[in-house]
Amino acid sequence: MASSIAYTSSLSLLRKNHNDAVSASPLNALFSARNLVRRCSQTRRFAIAGVPRATAKVVDDRIVEKEEHAMKKRRVLKVGLVCGGPSAERGISLNSARSVLDHIQGDDFHVSCYYIDCNFNAYAISPAQVYSNTPADFDFKLESLALGFQSLSEFAEHLAASVDIVFPVIHGRFGEDGGIQELLEEYNIPFVGTGSNECRQAFDKYDASLELSKQGFITVPSFIVQGNERNESELSKWFARNQLDPNSGKVVVKPARAGSSIGVKVAYGVLDSFRKADEIISEGIDDKVLIEIFLEGGSEFTAIVLDVGSGLDCHPVVLLPTEVELQLHGSVHITEKDAIFNYRRKYLPTQQVAYHTPPRFPIDVIETIREGASLLFRRLGLRDFARIDGWFLPNSVHTLSSSKSKYGRTELGNIIFTDINLISGMEQTSFLFQQASKVGFSHSNILRTIIYHACLRFPNLASFSSGSSHVPRSSKSARISEAFSKSTHKIFVIFGGDTSERQVSLMSGTNVWLNLQAFDDLEVTPCLLATTSEYLSSVDSNKNNIDVSSRTVWSLPYSLVLRHTTEEVIAACMEAIEPARAALTSQLRNRVIDDLMEGLTKHSWFPGFDIADEPPRRFSLEQWIKLAKEVQATVFIAVHGGIGEDGTLQSLLAAERVPYTGPGVIPSKTCMDKVATSLALNHLATLGVLTINKDVRRKEDLLSMPILDIWHNLTSKLQCETLCVKPARDGCSTGVARLCCAKDLEVYVKALEDCLLRIPSDSLSKAHGMIEMPNPPPDLLIFEPFIETDEIIVSSKSINENGHHLMWKGHSRWVEVTVGVIGKGGSMHSLSPSITVKETGDILSLEEKFQGGTGINLTPPPLSIISKEALERCKQCIELIANTLQLEGFSRIDAFVNVDSGEVLIIEVNTVPGMTPSTVLIHQALAEQPPVYPHQFFRMLLDLASERSA
C-alpha cells in the first residue's frame, strides 16, 4: 500500500474510528523520500507494534512498503510494555518505559505500550505517548490519545489475546508488590520477572527482613509501626536493646512497602521516630513503617542479579556491584548532615553522590557480596533479574549483635542486604545499565537477554528460545584513534563543559549518543568536554589566561558515559586509567563474564557480548578537532552554554572544516547575548514579533551601589513594579529570578557576592523553587520587566466543563511557550509550540525543564487556550525570528504568545537546546504527522549538518 513509513501502535489497531488520512508535515517534507528510505533501511530498530517491519523502495518519488517474506517464516515476539502505577515512583516508571522502548525495538520484537494510572485504570497508549514528560502531562493526554479499558479484567483479557509476554516496568506498589503479577498469573499471561507470592514477601521490607534472618543472613535490627499503633514503651525498650539513647538515638524511618527511596527519613530518639512515621503515613506513602538503626560508618552498595539458568533451573549471577558514595561539598544545610541515598539523590544530578563500579572494597568483600546476593536471589525464589541493595560495615564500625554465625560475616566486616528491588530502575543511566555495560552488555543486549530468559519458563514461547535473529551491535567505543571502517560515517557527540547546565548537557549528549546508535551506518563516539578546573588542575595555570583549544576532551567508553554528573564521569575516567584500579576491574569483570557464560552459552538466543573493555582517551580540544577532521567525523554539539553555544566551538570546528550540528558562528554569538538578540529583532514589531525592554548592569556596580537606589532606578527606567533578572550571556535556566521588591534584589546580589551555587527555595518574597546560579557569577546581568502570564494548572482533581484536567482563567491573554525550529538556513520550520506549565514559582528550574518526572509541557497547545488561527500566526512569527537570526539546523525559541492575536514577545533563543529524553523538542517532533521518533529526529539534525558541509 502507498503511504509514508511511520510507526504504528496497538492503539491504532484497537481504535475503530482511527483516521488514516494524515497529511505529511513540513518537517517530514524537509527530506526526500529517497533519503528517508536510506536512513530507515540502515536502522536496526524499526518496528514498534502493530505490523511487521516493511522493506521500502522508491517508485516515482513515493515510498512503497512491502512486507518481508521472512516475517512469515519467523514469529515475531509481541511484548507488552506496562508502565505507570499508583506509587510516587510513577515518573521514574515512565522514564524506564521510555528507555526500554528505545532499546528493545527490532525486526523480531513488536512492542505494544500500556499504562496504569494512580487509580488502577488501564490504557493502551501509543509509543509516542511514552515520551511524555511527566505523570501530570501524561494523564492530561490520556483522554484524547489513549484507549481505556473498563476494568483490569478487560485489560488482562486484551493482553492475553494481543501479546506473547508482558514486561512490567511499574516501580513500587502494584509493580513490585505482586499486584500486576497476580493479575497476569490469573489470566495465564507470561511475564518478565518474579512471581506474585515471592514479590509480596520481598517487597515488604519487614517481612523480607524476617525471611532473610530465617535464611541465615545478617539483618538490621528493626521496629515496626503499624497504622495508628504507638507503643512508646516498646520502642524505648527497642532503643535500649540496640544501645541507642531513647532521646537522641539515630535511626532510619522508612515505609515498609514502597520503593527503596521514597519517604526515607532520618530521626533522633523515640518521639522523633514516631513523628517521622506519622509523616510517612499521613502523606499516604504507607501505613506500615519500619524503624531501623542508622548504619553509621558503613558503605552502601547495590548489585544487579541476572538469572542465566534454563527454564525453572535458577542460575543467578551477580554483576559488578556499585558502591554509593555520598558527597557533601562545602558548607551544607543542617538537614544534609545525615545524608541518605534518597529519591532525589538517586534520580537527579545533584552532585551529592558518586558511584564506584566495582566498589572500593577489598576483593574478598566484593566476592562475598556477589555470593550473598546470588544466594538471596535463590532463597527468595526471584526470577530473571533484580537489584539488591545493602551495606558493608568494616570491623572498625560497631558490630551488630546478631551477626554471630550469620551469613555476611567476614574477617573484614559485615555485609548486610537491606532492600530488594524486583523491578530495577531502567532509566538510561540506571544501575542495571551501568553494571551490565561493565561486563559487556549494551542496553539492548541486557534487556533482550532478560526477556528471552523469561520466555524459557513458558512452553508456548519455546520457539523464541531456540534462536534470535537479532545481531548484536558492534562496540562503538573510545578506540577512535585506530582505523575506522570506511562503510560508516563517524560521529563525535560532545557534551559537558563549564556552565551550570553541564549536567543537563550530559543527559542530552547521552540521549543523542544512544539514539544514534540505532543506525548501522554510523560510528558514534561519546566525548566529554571537561570543566576548565579539570584542565587547570593538570597545568596549574591561571584561568584568565587559558587557551580554549587546550581544554580537555575525554573520549569515553560505553560504561563511563552512564553517570549522573560530569564530575562523576571525569572521576570515573581517572579511576579507569589508574593501573591498580584498572587491573582490579579487569580481574572482576573476567570473573563475572565467566560466570555468565557458564549459563548463557546454553542459550542459542544469546548473541554474545557487544561492549568492549576499553579505557577512556584524553585529548586537548585542538587534538580532538584535528582527529575529527582526520576521520571525517561530524560533530554533534550538545554542550549547553559557554563555548558550546557562544560560537567558540563552532568557530574552532569551522576553521578545520569539520561539520557540526546547529547554527553557525555568527547566529550562535548573537543568540547567546540576550541584548544582541533583542536588537537583531526589534525591527519586526509590525510583523508580530515584539521584544522586551532591557537594562544591563555590571556585577561590580550591583555590589558597590545602594540596593534601594538600584531598585528605584531600575523600576523607574523599565516602568514596572516587578523585575526579572538573568545573566546576559548564559544558558536559558541559570540565575533567572523574579524580583518583587528591593529585599529580593538584595538577596540576589548577596548570592552573586558569595558565589552561591544556588539560591534555596522560597528565599525571595514570592514562592519559588531552587534557583541554580552561574558559576562563576556573571559579569553582566540583564534586568527586564517581569511579564505576567495567565496561570495554567494541570490537575487530576479539578475538571473543567470540557472534561479536561486543565484550569486557566485567561485574564492577561499571554502564555509562555517554547518552540523548536528545524531546517536549512532561510527556510526554518517551526514545530508545534509547547505551553509551559510551572510546578513551582514563576520561572522554570533546570529540573523542571529537562528532568523527566518534574516539568509539564502541553504539546500541542490545547485549543481551549489558543485558537488554531493564533497558533498558526505564532508559528509564522517563530519562523520569521529563526530566519532573521540566520538560524540553521535546529534551535529552540522561548517566548510569550498572545492567545488571541498570535503575536510573539521574544524571551530568548537557545542554539544548543536541551535534548534529554523528556525535553519538549522530543514532544514537538512526535506531534508532527507522521510522528518523528527520537532516533529519527536526531538523525535529521545530523543529516542537516552533513548537507550544509557538502
PDB file of all heavy atoms in Angstrom, residues 38 102 120 126 137 242 268 334 338 403-404 463-464 577 582 586 607-608 619 669 739 747 775 811 831 949:
ATOM      1  N   ARG A  38      16.754   5.647   2.785  1.00  0.00           N
ATOM      2  CA  ARG A  38      18.142   5.308   3.092  1.00  0.00           C
ATOM      3  C   ARG A  38      18.372   5.226   4.584  1.00  0.00           C
ATOM      4  O   ARG A  38      18.965   4.289   5.086  1.00  0.00           O
ATOM      5  CB  ARG A  38      19.077   6.368   2.491  1.00  0.00           C
ATOM      6  CG  ARG A  38      20.533   6.190   2.923  1.00  0.00           C
ATOM      7  CD  ARG A  38      21.414   7.290   2.344  1.00  0.00           C
ATOM      8  NE  ARG A  38      20.977   8.610   2.740  1.00  0.00           N
ATOM      9  CZ  ARG A  38      21.245   9.134   3.948  1.00  0.00           C
ATOM     10  NH1 ARG A  38      21.887   8.426   4.835  1.00  0.00           N
ATOM     11  NH2 ARG A  38      20.834  10.358   4.236  1.00  0.00           N
ATOM     12  N   ASP A 102      13.098   2.376  23.720  1.00  0.00           N
ATOM     13  CA  ASP A 102      14.194   2.793  22.848  1.00  0.00           C
ATOM     14  C   ASP A 102      15.099   1.621  22.465  1.00  0.00           C
ATOM     15  O   ASP A 102      15.622   1.572  21.353  1.00  0.00           O
ATOM     16  CB  ASP A 102      15.063   3.852  23.541  1.00  0.00           C
ATOM     17  CG  ASP A 102      14.518   5.258  23.366  1.00  0.00           C
ATOM     18  OD1 ASP A 102      13.671   5.465  22.478  1.00  0.00           O
ATOM     19  OD2 ASP A 102      14.930   6.151  24.132  1.00  0.00           O
ATOM     20  N   PHE A 120      -5.578   2.842  39.227  1.00  0.00           N
ATOM     21  CA  PHE A 120      -5.589   1.475  38.693  1.00  0.00           C
ATOM     22  C   PHE A 120      -6.449   1.343  37.428  1.00  0.00           C
ATOM     23  O   PHE A 120      -6.942   0.265  37.123  1.00  0.00           O
ATOM     24  CB  PHE A 120      -6.066   0.472  39.756  1.00  0.00           C
ATOM     25  CG  PHE A 120      -5.189   0.417  40.968  1.00  0.00           C
ATOM     26  CD1 PHE A 120      -5.498   1.149  42.102  1.00  0.00           C
ATOM     27  CD2 PHE A 120      -4.022  -0.341  40.974  1.00  0.00           C
ATOM     28  CE1 PHE A 120      -4.687   1.121  43.221  1.00  0.00           C
ATOM     29  CE2 PHE A 120      -3.197  -0.376  42.091  1.00  0.00           C
ATOM     30  CZ  PHE A 120      -3.521   0.356  43.219  1.00  0.00           C
ATOM     31  N   SER A 126      -0.093   4.902  22.670  1.00  0.00           N
ATOM     32  CA  SER A 126       0.810   4.856  21.529  1.00  0.00           C
ATOM     33  C   SER A 126       2.247   4.926  22.020  1.00  0.00           C
ATOM     34  O   SER A 126       2.519   5.486  23.083  1.00  0.00           O
ATOM     35  CB  SER A 126       0.529   6.021  20.590  1.00  0.00           C
ATOM     36  OG  SER A 126       0.948   7.230  21.195  1.00  0.00           O
ATOM     37  N   ASP A 137       1.467  15.518  32.865  1.00  0.00           N
ATOM     38  CA  ASP A 137       1.375  15.731  31.428  1.00  0.00           C
ATOM     39  C   ASP A 137       0.779  14.496  30.763  1.00  0.00           C
ATOM     40  O   ASP A 137      -0.076  14.576  29.881  1.00  0.00           O
ATOM     41  CB  ASP A 137       2.784  16.014  30.900  1.00  0.00           C
ATOM     42  CG  ASP A 137       2.803  16.393  29.431  1.00  0.00           C
ATOM     43  OD1 ASP A 137       1.763  16.848  28.929  1.00  0.00           O
ATOM     44  OD2 ASP A 137       3.859  16.255  28.793  1.00  0.00           O
ATOM     45  N   ASN A 242      19.246  -1.924  71.516  1.00  0.00           N
ATOM     46  CA  ASN A 242      20.215  -1.668  70.443  1.00  0.00           C
ATOM     47  C   ASN A 242      21.206  -0.568  70.801  1.00  0.00           C
ATOM     48  O   ASN A 242      21.839   0.014  69.911  1.00  0.00           O
ATOM     49  CB  ASN A 242      19.464  -1.328  69.156  1.00  0.00           C
ATOM     50  CG  ASN A 242      18.757  -2.529  68.568  1.00  0.00           C
ATOM     51  OD1 ASN A 242      19.375  -3.396  67.973  1.00  0.00           O
ATOM     52  ND2 ASN A 242      17.441  -2.599  68.767  1.00  0.00           N
ATOM     53  N   TYR A 268      15.714  11.101  65.312  1.00  0.00           N
ATOM     54  CA  TYR A 268      16.532  11.069  66.522  1.00  0.00           C
ATOM     55  C   TYR A 268      15.631  10.810  67.718  1.00  0.00           C
ATOM     56  O   TYR A 268      14.793  11.641  68.068  1.00  0.00           O
ATOM     57  CB  TYR A 268      17.273  12.397  66.700  1.00  0.00           C
ATOM     58  CG  TYR A 268      18.285  12.654  65.630  1.00  0.00           C
ATOM     59  CD1 TYR A 268      17.916  13.301  64.453  1.00  0.00           C
ATOM     60  CD2 TYR A 268      19.603  12.230  65.765  1.00  0.00           C
ATOM     61  CE1 TYR A 268      18.846  13.526  63.451  1.00  0.00           C
ATOM     62  CE2 TYR A 268      20.534  12.458  64.776  1.00  0.00           C
ATOM     63  CZ  TYR A 268      20.150  13.102  63.612  1.00  0.00           C
ATOM     64  OH  TYR A 268      21.067  13.315  62.622  1.00  0.00           O
ATOM     65  N   ILE A 334      21.833  22.039  57.679  1.00  0.00           N
ATOM     66  CA  ILE A 334      21.781  21.060  58.781  1.00  0.00           C
ATOM     67  C   ILE A 334      21.042  19.799  58.387  1.00  0.00           C
ATOM     68  O   ILE A 334      21.375  18.701  58.823  1.00  0.00           O
ATOM     69  CB  ILE A 334      21.121  21.707  60.038  1.00  0.00           C
ATOM     70  CG1 ILE A 334      21.213  20.751  61.240  1.00  0.00           C
ATOM     71  CG2 ILE A 334      19.676  22.086  59.763  1.00  0.00           C
ATOM     72  CD1 ILE A 334      22.606  20.488  61.711  1.00  0.00           C
ATOM     73  N   ASP A 338      23.016  14.435  57.839  1.00  0.00           N
ATOM     74  CA  ASP A 338      22.795  12.990  57.947  1.00  0.00           C
ATOM     75  C   ASP A 338      22.246  12.469  56.625  1.00  0.00           C
ATOM     76  O   ASP A 338      21.190  11.861  56.557  1.00  0.00           O
ATOM     77  CB  ASP A 338      21.830  12.678  59.091  1.00  0.00           C
ATOM     78  CG  ASP A 338      22.400  13.087  60.430  1.00  0.00           C
ATOM     79  OD1 ASP A 338      23.571  12.776  60.673  1.00  0.00           O
ATOM     80  OD2 ASP A 338      21.686  13.726  61.220  1.00  0.00           O
ATOM     81  N   SER A 403      25.131 -10.664  64.446  1.00  0.00           N
ATOM     82  CA  SER A 403      25.948 -11.095  63.320  1.00  0.00           C
ATOM     83  C   SER A 403      26.720 -12.383  63.558  1.00  0.00           C
ATOM     84  O   SER A 403      27.306 -12.922  62.644  1.00  0.00           O
ATOM     85  CB  SER A 403      26.930  -9.988  62.948  1.00  0.00           C
ATOM     86  OG  SER A 403      27.836  -9.756  64.005  1.00  0.00           O
ATOM     87  N   LYS A 404      26.738 -12.897  64.756  1.00  0.00           N
ATOM     88  CA  LYS A 404      27.483 -14.125  65.030  1.00  0.00           C
ATOM     89  C   LYS A 404      26.872 -15.273  64.226  1.00  0.00           C
ATOM     90  O   LYS A 404      25.661 -15.499  64.249  1.00  0.00           O
ATOM     91  CB  LYS A 404      27.435 -14.477  66.522  1.00  0.00           C
ATOM     92  CG  LYS A 404      27.856 -13.331  67.453  1.00  0.00           C
ATOM     93  CD  LYS A 404      29.285 -12.914  67.251  1.00  0.00           C
ATOM     94  CE  LYS A 404      29.672 -11.825  68.262  1.00  0.00           C
ATOM     95  NZ  LYS A 404      31.016 -11.313  68.023  1.00  0.00           N
ATOM     96  N   SER A 463       9.581 -21.494  21.034  1.00  0.00           N
ATOM     97  CA  SER A 463      10.162 -21.192  19.726  1.00  0.00           C
ATOM     98  C   SER A 463      11.032 -19.941  19.772  1.00  0.00           C
ATOM     99  O   SER A 463      11.963 -19.792  18.986  1.00  0.00           O
ATOM    100  CB  SER A 463       9.063 -21.004  18.679  1.00  0.00           C
ATOM    101  OG  SER A 463       8.218 -19.912  19.025  1.00  0.00           O
ATOM    102  N   PHE A 464      10.741 -19.043  20.709  1.00  0.00           N
ATOM    103  CA  PHE A 464      11.540 -17.826  20.823  1.00  0.00           C
ATOM    104  C   PHE A 464      12.854 -18.090  21.549  1.00  0.00           C
ATOM    105  O   PHE A 464      13.755 -17.258  21.524  1.00  0.00           O
ATOM    106  CB  PHE A 464      10.760 -16.734  21.557  1.00  0.00           C
ATOM    107  CG  PHE A 464       9.523 -16.305  20.833  1.00  0.00           C
ATOM    108  CD1 PHE A 464       8.264 -16.624  21.313  1.00  0.00           C
ATOM    109  CD2 PHE A 464       9.610 -15.604  19.640  1.00  0.00           C
ATOM    110  CE1 PHE A 464       7.134 -16.243  20.641  1.00  0.00           C
ATOM    111  CE2 PHE A 464       8.475 -15.216  18.961  1.00  0.00           C
ATOM    112  CZ  PHE A 464       7.229 -15.542  19.455  1.00  0.00           C
ATOM    113  N   ILE A 577      41.925   4.840  34.435  1.00  0.00           N
ATOM    114  CA  ILE A 577      43.288   4.806  33.908  1.00  0.00           C
ATOM    115  C   ILE A 577      44.329   4.626  35.008  1.00  0.00           C
ATOM    116  O   ILE A 577      45.524   4.584  34.735  1.00  0.00           O
ATOM    117  CB  ILE A 577      43.597   6.096  33.105  1.00  0.00           C
ATOM    118  CG1 ILE A 577      43.490   7.340  33.980  1.00  0.00           C
ATOM    119  CG2 ILE A 577      42.693   6.199  31.884  1.00  0.00           C
ATOM    120  CD1 ILE A 577      43.854   8.635  33.259  1.00  0.00           C
ATOM    121  N   ALA A 582      42.419  -0.282  37.427  1.00  0.00           N
ATOM    122  CA  ALA A 582      42.076  -0.894  36.142  1.00  0.00           C
ATOM    123  C   ALA A 582      42.300  -2.400  36.184  1.00  0.00           C
ATOM    124  O   ALA A 582      41.499  -3.178  35.646  1.00  0.00           O
ATOM    125  CB  ALA A 582      42.904  -0.261  35.025  1.00  0.00           C
ATOM    126  N   SER A 586      39.387  -5.251  35.721  1.00  0.00           N
ATOM    127  CA  SER A 586      39.520  -6.271  34.676  1.00  0.00           C
ATOM    128  C   SER A 586      39.423  -7.671  35.257  1.00  0.00           C
ATOM    129  O   SER A 586      38.764  -8.559  34.688  1.00  0.00           O
ATOM    130  CB  SER A 586      40.861  -6.083  33.953  1.00  0.00           C
ATOM    131  OG  SER A 586      41.041  -7.058  32.963  1.00  0.00           O
ATOM    132  N   PRO A 607      23.351 -13.588  21.708  1.00  0.00           N
ATOM    133  CA  PRO A 607      24.226 -13.271  20.571  1.00  0.00           C
ATOM    134  C   PRO A 607      25.674 -13.016  20.949  1.00  0.00           C
ATOM    135  O   PRO A 607      26.510 -12.821  20.081  1.00  0.00           O
ATOM    136  CB  PRO A 607      23.587 -11.990  20.011  1.00  0.00           C
ATOM    137  CG  PRO A 607      23.013 -11.298  21.221  1.00  0.00           C
ATOM    138  CD  PRO A 607      22.549 -12.406  22.136  1.00  0.00           C
ATOM    139  N   GLY A 608      25.973 -12.979  22.229  1.00  0.00           N
ATOM    140  CA  GLY A 608      27.320 -12.646  22.664  1.00  0.00           C
ATOM    141  C   GLY A 608      27.387 -11.247  23.242  1.00  0.00           C
ATOM    142  O   GLY A 608      26.457 -10.446  23.102  1.00  0.00           O
ATOM    143  N   PHE A 619      42.317  13.990  25.247  1.00  0.00           N
ATOM    144  CA  PHE A 619      42.843  14.854  24.203  1.00  0.00           C
ATOM    145  C   PHE A 619      42.744  16.302  24.648  1.00  0.00           C
ATOM    146  O   PHE A 619      41.927  16.647  25.505  1.00  0.00           O
ATOM    147  CB  PHE A 619      42.028  14.719  22.906  1.00  0.00           C
ATOM    148  CG  PHE A 619      41.972  13.333  22.329  1.00  0.00           C
ATOM    149  CD1 PHE A 619      40.961  12.452  22.692  1.00  0.00           C
ATOM    150  CD2 PHE A 619      42.911  12.923  21.405  1.00  0.00           C
ATOM    151  CE1 PHE A 619      40.888  11.178  22.151  1.00  0.00           C
ATOM    152  CE2 PHE A 619      42.851  11.650  20.850  1.00  0.00           C
ATOM    153  CZ  PHE A 619      41.838  10.771  21.231  1.00  0.00           C
ATOM    154  N   LYS A 669      26.739  33.454  18.381  1.00  0.00           N
ATOM    155  CA  LYS A 669      27.185  34.585  19.192  1.00  0.00           C
ATOM    156  C   LYS A 669      26.028  35.520  19.503  1.00  0.00           C
ATOM    157  O   LYS A 669      25.855  35.983  20.642  1.00  0.00           O
ATOM    158  CB  LYS A 669      28.282  35.353  18.458  1.00  0.00           C
ATOM    159  CG  LYS A 669      29.639  34.683  18.442  1.00  0.00           C
ATOM    160  CD  LYS A 669      30.654  35.575  17.727  1.00  0.00           C
ATOM    161  CE  LYS A 669      32.039  34.937  17.747  1.00  0.00           C
ATOM    162  NZ  LYS A 669      33.024  35.792  17.025  1.00  0.00           N
ATOM    163  N   LEU A 739      12.048  39.263  40.855  1.00  0.00           N
ATOM    164  CA  LEU A 739      12.313  40.153  41.984  1.00  0.00           C
ATOM    165  C   LEU A 739      11.121  41.079  42.182  1.00  0.00           C
ATOM    166  O   LEU A 739      10.771  41.860  41.291  1.00  0.00           O
ATOM    167  CB  LEU A 739      13.575  40.985  41.730  1.00  0.00           C
ATOM    168  CG  LEU A 739      14.842  40.202  41.329  1.00  0.00           C
ATOM    169  CD1 LEU A 739      15.991  41.161  41.059  1.00  0.00           C
ATOM    170  CD2 LEU A 739      15.220  39.180  42.396  1.00  0.00           C
ATOM    171  N   VAL A 747      18.891  39.964  48.236  1.00  0.00           N
ATOM    172  CA  VAL A 747      19.183  38.526  48.358  1.00  0.00           C
ATOM    173  C   VAL A 747      19.939  38.034  47.124  1.00  0.00           C
ATOM    174  O   VAL A 747      20.920  37.282  47.229  1.00  0.00           O
ATOM    175  CB  VAL A 747      17.872  37.727  48.552  1.00  0.00           C
ATOM    176  CG1 VAL A 747      18.143  36.219  48.454  1.00  0.00           C
ATOM    177  CG2 VAL A 747      17.227  38.069  49.881  1.00  0.00           C
ATOM    178  N   ASN A 775      28.214  29.648  37.695  1.00  0.00           N
ATOM    179  CA  ASN A 775      29.476  29.537  38.414  1.00  0.00           C
ATOM    180  C   ASN A 775      30.621  29.558  37.404  1.00  0.00           C
ATOM    181  O   ASN A 775      30.722  28.658  36.587  1.00  0.00           O
ATOM    182  CB  ASN A 775      29.521  28.242  39.229  1.00  0.00           C
ATOM    183  CG  ASN A 775      30.796  28.121  40.040  1.00  0.00           C
ATOM    184  OD1 ASN A 775      31.353  29.110  40.466  1.00  0.00           O
ATOM    185  ND2 ASN A 775      31.269  26.888  40.230  1.00  0.00           N
ATOM    186  N   HIS A 811      -6.867  35.860  31.930  1.00  0.00           N
ATOM    187  CA  HIS A 811      -7.078  37.298  32.110  1.00  0.00           C
ATOM    188  C   HIS A 811      -6.129  38.126  31.240  1.00  0.00           C
ATOM    189  O   HIS A 811      -6.546  39.021  30.522  1.00  0.00           O
ATOM    190  CB  HIS A 811      -6.900  37.683  33.578  1.00  0.00           C
ATOM    191  CG  HIS A 811      -7.968  37.113  34.465  1.00  0.00           C
ATOM    192  ND1 HIS A 811      -9.303  37.178  34.151  1.00  0.00           N
ATOM    193  CD2 HIS A 811      -7.885  36.455  35.658  1.00  0.00           C
ATOM    194  CE1 HIS A 811     -10.017  36.590  35.111  1.00  0.00           C
ATOM    195  NE2 HIS A 811      -9.176  36.136  36.034  1.00  0.00           N
ATOM    196  N   LEU A 831       8.203  23.832  14.736  1.00  0.00           N
ATOM    197  CA  LEU A 831       7.445  22.702  15.266  1.00  0.00           C
ATOM    198  C   LEU A 831       6.245  23.243  16.039  1.00  0.00           C
ATOM    199  O   LEU A 831       6.073  24.448  16.203  1.00  0.00           O
ATOM    200  CB  LEU A 831       8.342  21.852  16.174  1.00  0.00           C
ATOM    201  CG  LEU A 831       9.591  21.251  15.520  1.00  0.00           C
ATOM    202  CD1 LEU A 831      10.412  20.493  16.553  1.00  0.00           C
ATOM    203  CD2 LEU A 831       9.214  20.333  14.371  1.00  0.00           C
ATOM    204  N   SER A 949      27.611  21.010   4.962  1.00  0.00           N
ATOM    205  CA  SER A 949      29.049  20.998   4.701  1.00  0.00           C
ATOM    206  C   SER A 949      29.391  20.376   3.352  1.00  0.00           C
ATOM    207  O   SER A 949      30.540  20.435   2.915  1.00  0.00           O
ATOM    208  CB  SER A 949      29.775  20.223   5.805  1.00  0.00           C
ATOM    209  OG  SER A 949      29.358  18.866   5.799  1.00  0.00           O
TER     210      SER A 949
END
